[in-house]
PDB file of all heavy atoms in Angstrom:
ATOM      1  N   GLY L 599     -31.939  -4.915 -10.943  1.00 98.00           N
ATOM      2  CA  GLY L 599     -31.899  -3.629 -11.624  1.00 98.00           C
ATOM      3  C   GLY L 599     -32.666  -2.511 -10.968  1.00 98.00           C
ATOM      4  O   GLY L 599     -32.691  -1.383 -11.486  1.00 98.00           O
ATOM      5  N   TYR L 600     -33.317  -2.778  -9.822  1.00 98.00           N
ATOM      6  CA  TYR L 600     -34.089  -1.752  -9.137  1.00 98.00           C
ATOM      7  C   TYR L 600     -33.239  -1.094  -8.050  1.00 98.00           C
ATOM      8  O   TYR L 600     -32.194  -1.595  -7.658  1.00 98.00           O
ATOM      9  CB  TYR L 600     -35.362  -2.344  -8.537  1.00 98.00           C
ATOM     10  CG  TYR L 600     -36.247  -3.008  -9.563  1.00 98.00           C
ATOM     11  CD1 TYR L 600     -36.239  -4.398  -9.733  1.00 98.00           C
ATOM     12  CD2 TYR L 600     -37.053  -2.248 -10.394  1.00 98.00           C
ATOM     13  CE1 TYR L 600     -37.030  -5.002 -10.693  1.00 98.00           C
ATOM     14  CE2 TYR L 600     -37.850  -2.855 -11.359  1.00 98.00           C
ATOM     15  CZ  TYR L 600     -37.830  -4.229 -11.503  1.00 98.00           C
ATOM     16  OH  TYR L 600     -38.611  -4.823 -12.458  1.00 98.00           O
ATOM     17  N   GLY L 601     -33.717   0.054  -7.588  1.00 98.00           N
ATOM     18  CA  GLY L 601     -32.981   0.750  -6.544  1.00 98.00           C
ATOM     19  C   GLY L 601     -33.255   2.235  -6.591  1.00 98.00           C
ATOM     20  O   GLY L 601     -34.213   2.693  -7.231  1.00 98.00           O
ATOM     21  N   PRO L 602     -32.398   3.037  -5.934  1.00 96.00           N
ATOM     22  CA  PRO L 602     -32.580   4.484  -5.953  1.00 96.00           C
ATOM     23  C   PRO L 602     -32.593   5.040  -7.368  1.00 96.00           C
ATOM     24  O   PRO L 602     -31.949   4.495  -8.276  1.00 96.00           O
ATOM     25  CB  PRO L 602     -31.369   4.990  -5.163  1.00 96.00           C
ATOM     26  CG  PRO L 602     -30.940   3.833  -4.323  1.00 96.00           C
ATOM     27  CD  PRO L 602     -31.247   2.615  -5.129  1.00 96.00           C
ATOM     28  N   GLU L 603     -33.299   6.130  -7.542  1.00 89.00           N
ATOM     29  CA  GLU L 603     -33.477   6.714  -8.872  1.00 89.00           C
ATOM     30  C   GLU L 603     -32.150   7.009  -9.557  1.00 89.00           C
ATOM     31  O   GLU L 603     -32.011   6.846 -10.765  1.00 89.00           O
ATOM     32  CB  GLU L 603     -34.299   8.003  -8.755  1.00 89.00           C
ATOM     33  CG  GLU L 603     -35.744   7.767  -8.380  1.00 89.00           C
ATOM     34  CD  GLU L 603     -36.503   9.057  -8.139  1.00 89.00           C
ATOM     35  OE1 GLU L 603     -35.902  10.042  -7.663  1.00 89.00           O
ATOM     36  OE2 GLU L 603     -37.706   9.080  -8.413  1.00 89.00           O
ATOM     37  N   ASP L 604     -31.176   7.479  -8.775  1.00 89.00           N
ATOM     38  CA  ASP L 604     -29.932   7.943  -9.387  1.00 89.00           C
ATOM     39  C   ASP L 604     -28.862   6.875  -9.544  1.00 89.00           C
ATOM     40  O   ASP L 604     -27.782   7.171 -10.048  1.00 89.00           O
ATOM     41  CB  ASP L 604     -29.366   9.113  -8.568  1.00 89.00           C
ATOM     42  CG  ASP L 604     -29.104   8.734  -7.106  1.00 89.00           C
ATOM     43  OD1 ASP L 604     -29.508   7.619  -6.687  1.00 89.00           O
ATOM     44  OD2 ASP L 604     -28.506   9.558  -6.366  1.00 89.00           O
ATOM     45  N   SER L 605     -29.138   5.635  -9.114  1.00 91.00           N
ATOM     46  CA  SER L 605     -28.081   4.624  -9.159  1.00 91.00           C
ATOM     47  C   SER L 605     -28.580   3.245  -9.563  1.00 91.00           C
ATOM     48  O   SER L 605     -27.960   2.236  -9.224  1.00 91.00           O
ATOM     49  CB  SER L 605     -27.383   4.544  -7.791  1.00 91.00           C
ATOM     50  OG  SER L 605     -28.315   4.203  -6.766  1.00 91.00           O
ATOM     51  N   SER L 606     -29.673   3.165 -10.287  1.00 96.00           N
ATOM     52  CA  SER L 606     -30.187   1.871 -10.739  1.00 96.00           C
ATOM     53  C   SER L 606     -30.864   2.058 -12.089  1.00 96.00           C
ATOM     54  O   SER L 606     -31.527   3.068 -12.330  1.00 96.00           O
ATOM     55  CB  SER L 606     -31.172   1.290  -9.724  1.00 96.00           C
ATOM     56  OG  SER L 606     -32.298   2.138  -9.568  1.00 96.00           O
ATOM     57  N   PRO L 607     -30.729   1.085 -12.986  1.00 96.00           N
ATOM     58  CA  PRO L 607     -31.314   1.242 -14.335  1.00 96.00           C
ATOM     59  C   PRO L 607     -32.838   1.249 -14.354  1.00 96.00           C
ATOM     60  O   PRO L 607     -33.438   1.895 -15.210  1.00 96.00           O
ATOM     61  CB  PRO L 607     -30.745   0.045 -15.097  1.00 96.00           C
ATOM     62  CG  PRO L 607     -30.286  -0.923 -14.066  1.00 96.00           C
ATOM     63  CD  PRO L 607     -29.893  -0.128 -12.883  1.00 96.00           C
ATOM     64  N   LEU L 608     -33.489   0.535 -13.426  1.00 97.00           N
ATOM     65  CA  LEU L 608     -34.949   0.417 -13.459  1.00 97.00           C
ATOM     66  C   LEU L 608     -35.655   1.279 -12.425  1.00 97.00           C
ATOM     67  O   LEU L 608     -36.886   1.350 -12.423  1.00 97.00           O
ATOM     68  CB  LEU L 608     -35.352  -1.046 -13.296  1.00 97.00           C
ATOM     69  CG  LEU L 608     -34.802  -2.012 -14.361  1.00 97.00           C
ATOM     70  CD1 LEU L 608     -35.275  -3.433 -14.085  1.00 97.00           C
ATOM     71  CD2 LEU L 608     -35.225  -1.578 -15.757  1.00 97.00           C
ATOM     72  N   GLY L 609     -34.898   1.892 -11.523  1.00 97.00           N
ATOM     73  CA  GLY L 609     -35.486   2.839 -10.594  1.00 97.00           C
ATOM     74  C   GLY L 609     -36.215   2.224  -9.415  1.00 97.00           C
ATOM     75  O   GLY L 609     -36.233   0.994  -9.228  1.00 97.00           O
ATOM     76  N   PRO L 610     -36.865   3.057  -8.605  1.00 98.00           N
ATOM     77  CA  PRO L 610     -37.424   2.633  -7.320  1.00 98.00           C
ATOM     78  C   PRO L 610     -38.828   2.040  -7.421  1.00 98.00           C
ATOM     79  O   PRO L 610     -39.787   2.582  -6.857  1.00 98.00           O
ATOM     80  CB  PRO L 610     -37.424   3.928  -6.513  1.00 98.00           C
ATOM     81  CG  PRO L 610     -37.674   4.989  -7.537  1.00 98.00           C
ATOM     82  CD  PRO L 610     -36.950   4.516  -8.787  1.00 98.00           C
ATOM     83  N   VAL L 611     -38.950   0.921  -8.109  1.00 98.00           N
ATOM     84  CA  VAL L 611     -40.251   0.262  -8.216  1.00 98.00           C
ATOM     85  C   VAL L 611     -40.415  -0.634  -6.985  1.00 98.00           C
ATOM     86  O   VAL L 611     -40.010  -1.802  -6.971  1.00 98.00           O
ATOM     87  CB  VAL L 611     -40.374  -0.549  -9.515  1.00 98.00           C
ATOM     88  CG1 VAL L 611     -41.811  -1.088  -9.662  1.00 98.00           C
ATOM     89  CG2 VAL L 611     -39.984   0.296 -10.717  1.00 98.00           C
ATOM     90  N   LEU L 612     -40.999  -0.066  -5.920  1.00 98.00           N
ATOM     91  CA  LEU L 612     -41.075  -0.778  -4.648  1.00 98.00           C
ATOM     92  C   LEU L 612     -41.929  -2.041  -4.757  1.00 98.00           C
ATOM     93  O   LEU L 612     -41.712  -3.011  -4.024  1.00 98.00           O
ATOM     94  CB  LEU L 612     -41.624   0.143  -3.561  1.00 98.00           C
ATOM     95  CG  LEU L 612     -40.797   1.405  -3.279  1.00 98.00           C
ATOM     96  CD1 LEU L 612     -41.478   2.262  -2.213  1.00 98.00           C
ATOM     97  CD2 LEU L 612     -39.374   1.063  -2.867  1.00 98.00           C
ATOM     98  N   GLY L 613     -42.886  -2.047  -5.672  1.00 98.00           N
ATOM     99  CA  GLY L 613     -43.729  -3.222  -5.866  1.00 98.00           C
ATOM    100  C   GLY L 613     -42.987  -4.424  -6.420  1.00 98.00           C
ATOM    101  O   GLY L 613     -43.545  -5.525  -6.453  1.00 98.00           O
ATOM    102  N   GLU L 614     -41.726  -4.233  -6.872  1.00 98.00           N
ATOM    103  CA  GLU L 614     -40.922  -5.349  -7.371  1.00 98.00           C
ATOM    104  C   GLU L 614     -40.077  -5.995  -6.279  1.00 98.00           C
ATOM    105  O   GLU L 614     -39.303  -6.907  -6.570  1.00 98.00           O
ATOM    106  CB  GLU L 614     -40.029  -4.893  -8.521  1.00 98.00           C
ATOM    107  CG  GLU L 614     -40.787  -4.665  -9.822  1.00 98.00           C
ATOM    108  CD  GLU L 614     -41.382  -5.948 -10.404  1.00 98.00           C
ATOM    109  OE1 GLU L 614     -40.851  -7.042 -10.141  1.00 98.00           O
ATOM    110  OE2 GLU L 614     -42.397  -5.858 -11.103  1.00 98.00           O
ATOM    111  N   LEU L 615     -40.186  -5.538  -5.040  1.00 98.00           N
ATOM    112  CA  LEU L 615     -39.527  -6.230  -3.943  1.00 98.00           C
ATOM    113  C   LEU L 615     -40.159  -7.606  -3.761  1.00 98.00           C
ATOM    114  O   LEU L 615     -41.380  -7.749  -3.719  1.00 98.00           O
ATOM    115  CB  LEU L 615     -39.660  -5.438  -2.650  1.00 98.00           C
ATOM    116  CG  LEU L 615     -38.783  -4.188  -2.505  1.00 98.00           C
ATOM    117  CD1 LEU L 615     -39.320  -3.297  -1.399  1.00 98.00           C
ATOM    118  CD2 LEU L 615     -37.324  -4.571  -2.227  1.00 98.00           C
ATOM    119  N   ILE L 616     -39.337  -8.636  -3.667  1.00 98.00           N
ATOM    120  CA  ILE L 616     -39.819  -9.993  -3.431  1.00 98.00           C
ATOM    121  C   ILE L 616     -39.068 -10.614  -2.272  1.00 98.00           C
ATOM    122  O   ILE L 616     -37.959 -10.200  -1.924  1.00 98.00           O
ATOM    123  CB  ILE L 616     -39.676 -10.898  -4.678  1.00 98.00           C
ATOM    124  CG1 ILE L 616     -38.178 -11.059  -5.033  1.00 98.00           C
ATOM    125  CG2 ILE L 616     -40.486 -10.372  -5.850  1.00 98.00           C
ATOM    126  CD1 ILE L 616     -37.863 -12.262  -5.881  1.00 98.00           C
ATOM    127  N   THR L 617     -39.680 -11.615  -1.659  1.00 98.00           N
ATOM    128  CA  THR L 617     -39.030 -12.383  -0.612  1.00 98.00           C
ATOM    129  C   THR L 617     -39.536 -13.808  -0.676  1.00 98.00           C
ATOM    130  O   THR L 617     -40.235 -14.193  -1.621  1.00 98.00           O
ATOM    131  CB  THR L 617     -39.271 -11.750   0.772  1.00 98.00           C
ATOM    132  OG1 THR L 617     -38.404 -12.356   1.740  1.00 98.00           O
ATOM    133  CG2 THR L 617     -40.717 -11.905   1.223  1.00 98.00           C
ATOM    134  N   ASP L 618     -39.211 -14.589   0.327  1.00 98.00           N
ATOM    135  CA  ASP L 618     -39.667 -15.970   0.393  1.00 98.00           C
ATOM    136  C   ASP L 618     -40.295 -16.224   1.756  1.00 98.00           C
ATOM    137  O   ASP L 618     -40.244 -15.387   2.652  1.00 98.00           O
ATOM    138  CB  ASP L 618     -38.500 -16.942   0.163  1.00 98.00           C
ATOM    139  CG  ASP L 618     -37.668 -17.131   1.415  1.00 98.00           C
ATOM    140  OD1 ASP L 618     -37.121 -16.141   1.945  1.00 98.00           O
ATOM    141  OD2 ASP L 618     -37.581 -18.278   1.908  1.00 98.00           O
ATOM    142  N   ARG L 619     -40.888 -17.393   1.923  1.00 98.00           N
ATOM    143  CA  ARG L 619     -41.579 -17.735   3.159  1.00 98.00           C
ATOM    144  C   ARG L 619     -40.633 -17.723   4.366  1.00 98.00           C
ATOM    145  O   ARG L 619     -40.989 -17.240   5.447  1.00 98.00           O
ATOM    146  CB  ARG L 619     -42.238 -19.114   3.056  1.00 98.00           C
ATOM    147  CG  ARG L 619     -43.328 -19.230   2.033  1.00 98.00           C
ATOM    148  CD  ARG L 619     -43.762 -20.682   1.824  1.00 98.00           C
ATOM    149  NE  ARG L 619     -44.397 -21.257   2.999  1.00 98.00           N
ATOM    150  CZ  ARG L 619     -43.832 -22.133   3.831  1.00 98.00           C
ATOM    151  NH1 ARG L 619     -42.582 -22.542   3.601  1.00 98.00           N
ATOM    152  NH2 ARG L 619     -44.471 -22.627   4.871  1.00 98.00           N
ATOM    153  N   SER L 620     -39.427 -18.231   4.182  1.00 98.00           N
ATOM    154  CA  SER L 620     -38.533 -18.377   5.328  1.00 98.00           C
ATOM    155  C   SER L 620     -38.134 -17.021   5.892  1.00 98.00           C
ATOM    156  O   SER L 620     -38.145 -16.817   7.113  1.00 98.00           O
ATOM    157  CB  SER L 620     -37.294 -19.196   4.952  1.00 98.00           C
ATOM    158  OG  SER L 620     -36.432 -18.495   4.066  1.00 98.00           O
ATOM    159  N   ASP L 621     -37.772 -16.087   5.022  1.00 97.00           N
ATOM    160  CA  ASP L 621     -37.352 -14.785   5.524  1.00 97.00           C
ATOM    161  C   ASP L 621     -38.544 -13.986   6.031  1.00 97.00           C
ATOM    162  O   ASP L 621     -38.431 -13.286   7.038  1.00 97.00           O
ATOM    163  CB  ASP L 621     -36.597 -14.023   4.440  1.00 97.00           C
ATOM    164  CG  ASP L 621     -35.303 -13.402   4.970  1.00 97.00           C
ATOM    165  OD1 ASP L 621     -34.856 -13.801   6.060  1.00 97.00           O
ATOM    166  OD2 ASP L 621     -34.725 -12.565   4.286  1.00 97.00           O
ATOM    167  N   ALA L 622     -39.677 -14.076   5.357  1.00 98.00           N
ATOM    168  CA  ALA L 622     -40.880 -13.397   5.840  1.00 98.00           C
ATOM    169  C   ALA L 622     -41.258 -13.887   7.235  1.00 98.00           C
ATOM    170  O   ALA L 622     -41.732 -13.114   8.074  1.00 98.00           O
ATOM    171  CB  ALA L 622     -42.044 -13.606   4.866  1.00 98.00           C
ATOM    172  N   SER L 623     -41.014 -15.171   7.507  1.00 98.00           N
ATOM    173  CA  SER L 623     -41.415 -15.744   8.793  1.00 98.00           C
ATOM    174  C   SER L 623     -40.583 -15.240   9.951  1.00 98.00           C
ATOM    175  O   SER L 623     -40.935 -15.471  11.110  1.00 98.00           O
ATOM    176  CB  SER L 623     -41.361 -17.274   8.743  1.00 98.00           C
ATOM    177  OG  SER L 623     -40.010 -17.756   8.685  1.00 98.00           O
ATOM    178  N   GLY L 624     -39.481 -14.557   9.675  1.00 97.00           N
ATOM    179  CA  GLY L 624     -38.657 -13.996  10.737  1.00 97.00           C
ATOM    180  C   GLY L 624     -38.911 -12.525  11.005  1.00 97.00           C
ATOM    181  O   GLY L 624     -38.200 -11.909  11.792  1.00 97.00           O
ATOM    182  N   THR L 625     -39.935 -11.966  10.362  1.00 98.00           N
ATOM    183  CA  THR L 625     -40.197 -10.541  10.552  1.00 98.00           C
ATOM    184  C   THR L 625     -40.978 -10.254  11.824  1.00 98.00           C
ATOM    185  O   THR L 625     -40.832  -9.201  12.434  1.00 98.00           O
ATOM    186  CB  THR L 625     -40.989  -9.966   9.364  1.00 98.00           C
ATOM    187  OG1 THR L 625     -42.249 -10.665   9.237  1.00 98.00           O
ATOM    188  CG2 THR L 625     -40.189 -10.102   8.079  1.00 98.00           C
ATOM    189  N   GLY L 626     -41.885 -11.168  12.194  1.00 98.00           N
ATOM    190  CA  GLY L 626     -42.794 -10.898  13.297  1.00 98.00           C
ATOM    191  C   GLY L 626     -44.085 -10.249  12.856  1.00 98.00           C
ATOM    192  O   GLY L 626     -44.930  -9.916  13.701  1.00 98.00           O
ATOM    193  N   TYR L 627     -44.271 -10.078  11.527  1.00 98.00           N
ATOM    194  CA  TYR L 627     -45.564  -9.577  11.027  1.00 98.00           C
ATOM    195  C   TYR L 627     -46.020 -10.366   9.786  1.00 98.00           C
ATOM    196  O   TYR L 627     -46.652  -9.827   8.895  1.00 98.00           O
ATOM    197  CB  TYR L 627     -45.527  -8.068  10.735  1.00 98.00           C
ATOM    198  CG  TYR L 627     -44.296  -7.574   9.995  1.00 98.00           C
ATOM    199  CD1 TYR L 627     -44.160  -7.714   8.622  1.00 98.00           C
ATOM    200  CD2 TYR L 627     -43.285  -6.931  10.682  1.00 98.00           C
ATOM    201  CE1 TYR L 627     -43.058  -7.248   7.951  1.00 98.00           C
ATOM    202  CE2 TYR L 627     -42.146  -6.470  10.021  1.00 98.00           C
ATOM    203  CZ  TYR L 627     -42.043  -6.626   8.660  1.00 98.00           C
ATOM    204  OH  TYR L 627     -40.940  -6.151   8.006  1.00 98.00           O
ATOM    205  N   TRP L 628     -45.702 -11.649   9.772  1.00 98.00           N
ATOM    206  CA  TRP L 628     -46.150 -12.561   8.728  1.00 98.00           C
ATOM    207  C   TRP L 628     -46.527 -13.878   9.383  1.00 98.00           C
ATOM    208  O   TRP L 628     -45.851 -14.321  10.323  1.00 98.00           O
ATOM    209  CB  TRP L 628     -45.044 -12.786   7.681  1.00 98.00           C
ATOM    210  CG  TRP L 628     -45.446 -13.607   6.487  1.00 98.00           C
ATOM    211  CD1 TRP L 628     -46.105 -13.160   5.384  1.00 98.00           C
ATOM    212  CD2 TRP L 628     -45.184 -14.997   6.258  1.00 98.00           C
ATOM    213  NE1 TRP L 628     -46.276 -14.195   4.491  1.00 98.00           N
ATOM    214  CE2 TRP L 628     -45.719 -15.331   5.000  1.00 98.00           C
ATOM    215  CE3 TRP L 628     -44.556 -15.997   7.000  1.00 98.00           C
ATOM    216  CZ2 TRP L 628     -45.642 -16.600   4.460  1.00 98.00           C
ATOM    217  CZ3 TRP L 628     -44.473 -17.276   6.467  1.00 98.00           C
ATOM    218  CH2 TRP L 628     -45.018 -17.564   5.215  1.00 98.00           C
ATOM    219  N   SER L 629     -47.573 -14.514   8.895  1.00 97.00           N
ATOM    220  CA  SER L 629     -48.049 -15.755   9.488  1.00 97.00           C
ATOM    221  C   SER L 629     -47.623 -16.963   8.664  1.00 97.00           C
ATOM    222  O   SER L 629     -48.084 -17.118   7.528  1.00 97.00           O
ATOM    223  CB  SER L 629     -49.579 -15.743   9.599  1.00 97.00           C
ATOM    224  OG  SER L 629     -50.057 -17.038   9.921  1.00 97.00           O
ATOM    225  N   PRO L 630     -46.765 -17.836   9.195  1.00 96.00           N
ATOM    226  CA  PRO L 630     -46.444 -19.071   8.471  1.00 96.00           C
ATOM    227  C   PRO L 630     -47.663 -19.974   8.297  1.00 96.00           C
ATOM    228  O   PRO L 630     -47.721 -20.746   7.335  1.00 96.00           O
ATOM    229  CB  PRO L 630     -45.390 -19.736   9.363  1.00 96.00           C
ATOM    230  CG  PRO L 630     -44.828 -18.640  10.206  1.00 96.00           C
ATOM    231  CD  PRO L 630     -45.969 -17.692  10.425  1.00 96.00           C
ATOM    232  N   ALA L 631     -48.600 -19.893   9.225  1.00 94.00           N
ATOM    233  CA  ALA L 631     -49.763 -20.789   9.159  1.00 94.00           C
ATOM    234  C   ALA L 631     -50.662 -20.471   7.984  1.00 94.00           C
ATOM    235  O   ALA L 631     -51.152 -21.380   7.304  1.00 94.00           O
ATOM    236  CB  ALA L 631     -50.552 -20.720  10.462  1.00 94.00           C
ATOM    237  N   ASP L 632     -50.913 -19.169   7.716  1.00 95.00           N
ATOM    238  CA  ASP L 632     -51.807 -18.838   6.598  1.00 95.00           C
ATOM    239  C   ASP L 632     -51.108 -18.097   5.467  1.00 95.00           C
ATOM    240  O   ASP L 632     -51.742 -17.749   4.472  1.00 95.00           O
ATOM    241  CB  ASP L 632     -53.038 -18.061   7.083  1.00 95.00           C
ATOM    242  CG  ASP L 632     -52.707 -16.691   7.666  1.00 95.00           C
ATOM    243  OD1 ASP L 632     -51.634 -16.132   7.360  1.00 95.00           O
ATOM    244  OD2 ASP L 632     -53.532 -16.172   8.431  1.00 95.00           O
ATOM    245  N   GLY L 633     -49.821 -17.839   5.590  1.00 96.00           N
ATOM    246  CA  GLY L 633     -49.051 -17.264   4.487  1.00 96.00           C
ATOM    247  C   GLY L 633     -49.405 -15.843   4.138  1.00 96.00           C
ATOM    248  O   GLY L 633     -49.353 -15.455   2.961  1.00 96.00           O
ATOM    249  N   SER L 634     -49.741 -15.021   5.140  1.00 98.00           N
ATOM    250  CA  SER L 634     -50.117 -13.644   4.847  1.00 98.00           C
ATOM    251  C   SER L 634     -49.477 -12.691   5.843  1.00 98.00           C
ATOM    252  O   SER L 634     -49.135 -13.066   6.972  1.00 98.00           O
ATOM    253  CB  SER L 634     -51.639 -13.472   4.889  1.00 98.00           C
ATOM    254  OG  SER L 634     -52.124 -13.732   6.197  1.00 98.00           O
ATOM    255  N   TYR L 635     -49.294 -11.441   5.390  1.00 98.00           N
ATOM    256  CA  TYR L 635     -48.800 -10.405   6.284  1.00 98.00           C
ATOM    257  C   TYR L 635     -49.885  -9.991   7.272  1.00 98.00           C
ATOM    258  O   TYR L 635     -51.069  -9.939   6.933  1.00 98.00           O
ATOM    259  CB  TYR L 635     -48.348  -9.176   5.488  1.00 98.00           C
ATOM    260  CG  TYR L 635     -47.019  -9.345   4.795  1.00 98.00           C
ATOM    261  CD1 TYR L 635     -46.928  -9.336   3.397  1.00 98.00           C
ATOM    262  CD2 TYR L 635     -45.849  -9.493   5.517  1.00 98.00           C
ATOM    263  CE1 TYR L 635     -45.710  -9.466   2.748  1.00 98.00           C
ATOM    264  CE2 TYR L 635     -44.617  -9.635   4.877  1.00 98.00           C
ATOM    265  CZ  TYR L 635     -44.563  -9.619   3.504  1.00 98.00           C
ATOM    266  OH  TYR L 635     -43.345  -9.753   2.865  1.00 98.00           O
ATOM    267  N   ASP L 636     -49.442  -9.665   8.477  1.00 98.00           N
ATOM    268  CA  ASP L 636     -50.334  -9.158   9.519  1.00 98.00           C
ATOM    269  C   ASP L 636     -50.143  -7.647   9.571  1.00 98.00           C
ATOM    270  O   ASP L 636     -49.260  -7.131  10.251  1.00 98.00           O
ATOM    271  CB  ASP L 636     -50.000  -9.805  10.871  1.00 98.00           C
ATOM    272  CG  ASP L 636     -51.060  -9.589  11.931  1.00 98.00           C
ATOM    273  OD1 ASP L 636     -51.558  -8.449  12.019  1.00 98.00           O
ATOM    274  OD2 ASP L 636     -51.368 -10.528  12.696  1.00 98.00           O
ATOM    275  N   ARG L 637     -50.971  -6.938   8.820  1.00 98.00           N
ATOM    276  CA  ARG L 637     -50.807  -5.497   8.681  1.00 98.00           C
ATOM    277  C   ARG L 637     -51.050  -4.757   9.995  1.00 98.00           C
ATOM    278  O   ARG L 637     -50.466  -3.699  10.236  1.00 98.00           O
ATOM    279  CB  ARG L 637     -51.753  -4.971   7.592  1.00 98.00           C
ATOM    280  CG  ARG L 637     -51.439  -5.509   6.194  1.00 98.00           C
ATOM    281  CD  ARG L 637     -50.302  -4.766   5.563  1.00 98.00           C
ATOM    282  NE  ARG L 637     -49.920  -5.317   4.272  1.00 98.00           N
ATOM    283  CZ  ARG L 637     -48.976  -4.774   3.487  1.00 98.00           C
ATOM    284  NH1 ARG L 637     -48.354  -3.662   3.866  1.00 98.00           N
ATOM    285  NH2 ARG L 637     -48.673  -5.344   2.340  1.00 98.00           N
ATOM    286  N   GLU L 638     -51.888  -5.300  10.849  1.00 98.00           N
ATOM    287  CA  GLU L 638     -52.119  -4.663  12.143  1.00 98.00           C
ATOM    288  C   GLU L 638     -50.831  -4.623  12.960  1.00 98.00           C
ATOM    289  O   GLU L 638     -50.505  -3.605  13.584  1.00 98.00           O
ATOM    290  CB  GLU L 638     -53.215  -5.386  12.921  1.00 98.00           C
ATOM    291  CG  GLU L 638     -53.513  -4.735  14.279  1.00 98.00           C
ATOM    292  CD  GLU L 638     -54.450  -5.533  15.160  1.00 98.00           C
ATOM    293  OE1 GLU L 638     -54.788  -6.680  14.797  1.00 98.00           O
ATOM    294  OE2 GLU L 638     -54.828  -5.026  16.239  1.00 98.00           O
ATOM    295  N   LEU L 639     -50.085  -5.718  12.958  1.00 98.00           N
ATOM    296  CA  LEU L 639     -48.837  -5.753  13.710  1.00 98.00           C
ATOM    297  C   LEU L 639     -47.788  -4.844  13.079  1.00 98.00           C
ATOM    298  O   LEU L 639     -47.025  -4.186  13.783  1.00 98.00           O
ATOM    299  CB  LEU L 639     -48.315  -7.188  13.810  1.00 98.00           C
ATOM    300  CG  LEU L 639     -49.169  -8.144  14.642  1.00 98.00           C
ATOM    301  CD1 LEU L 639     -48.576  -9.546  14.616  1.00 98.00           C
ATOM    302  CD2 LEU L 639     -49.298  -7.650  16.077  1.00 98.00           C
ATOM    303  N   LEU L 640     -47.733  -4.818  11.752  1.00 98.00           N
ATOM    304  CA  LEU L 640     -46.802  -3.908  11.089  1.00 98.00           C
ATOM    305  C   LEU L 640     -47.093  -2.466  11.488  1.00 98.00           C
ATOM    306  O   LEU L 640     -46.173  -1.711  11.844  1.00 98.00           O
ATOM    307  CB  LEU L 640     -46.902  -4.056   9.576  1.00 98.00           C
ATOM    308  CG  LEU L 640     -46.112  -3.018   8.769  1.00 98.00           C
ATOM    309  CD1 LEU L 640     -44.611  -3.240   8.920  1.00 98.00           C
ATOM    310  CD2 LEU L 640     -46.519  -3.054   7.296  1.00 98.00           C
TER     311      LEU L 640
END
């Protein structure tokens, strides 16, 4: 239900974005070893 203000019932609540370990591990700025984002690399 989230998305752009004009085309979604719940609006742009960016904090409601979720993912999983497998997809995060393909970004190049997440560590599978400790399960955290590497903000410096981002």
Side-chain angles (χ1 to χ4, degrees):
Y600 302 100
E603 291 174 328
D604 58 352
S605 59
S606 62
L608 301 180
V611 187
L612 300 178
E614 286 294 334
L615 285 163
I616 64 159
T617 192
D618 80 301
R619 296 170 66 255
S620 70
D621 227 16
S623 70
T625 60
Y627 44 80
W628 186 82
S629 168
D632 65 22
S634 63
Y635 284 115
D636 193 317
R637 296 280 176 176
E638 181 188 7
L639 293 178
L640 172 69

